Amino acid sequence: MYILNDICYAGEWKDGIKVTEAKPLRGGILLVTFSTGEKRLFDTTKLQGFAFEPLKDEKIFCNPVLFHGVITWNNGEIDIAPETVYRDSYAYEEMAI
């Protein structure tokens, strides 16, 4: 956990890493692009707690909004720190067709 500009964030500081794109895929998976240019897969179904329950609704899950490099849903009621997304995600390699 860390505090920046009087805001408390989960995870560890990663030198300003931000999410630049979050594309919903099937099964609660997001294809996330970070400010480093790296793409990773993040499984939202592993998020624990009542706050993340609305993500089970496909209409909510499929409509993420980026706010200052943070993925949010449901008019900002749900959010997750980019450092947490990065730490808990998996490398993604694009395949040339």
Side-chain angles (χ1 to χ4, degrees), residues 18-23 31-35 37-40:
K18 294 182 179 184
V19 174
T20 59
E21 184 178 11
K23 181 179 178 185
L31 175 57
V32 181
T33 305
F34 292 91
S35 54
E38 188 174 359
K39 291 186 179 194
R40 297 176 65 85

Side-chain angles (χ1 to χ4, degrees), residues 10-12 14 17-23 29-34 38-44 47 52 66 69-73 79-91:
E12 295 180 30
K14 291 265 193 210
I17 195 166
K18 294 182 179 184
V19 174
T20 59
E21 184 178 11
K23 181 179 178 185
I29 304 294
L30 289 175
L31 175 57
V32 181
T33 305
F34 292 91
E38 188 174 359
K39 291 186 179 194
R40 297 176 65 85
L41 296 171
F42 180 72
D43 186 353
T44 64
L47 294 170
F52 298 109
L66 296 182
V70 176
I71 303 170
T72 70
W73 292 270
D79 64 35
I80 187 161
E83 301 80 20
T84 301
V85 175
Y86 188 88
R87 182 194 67 220
D88 295 344
S89 62
Y90 307 92

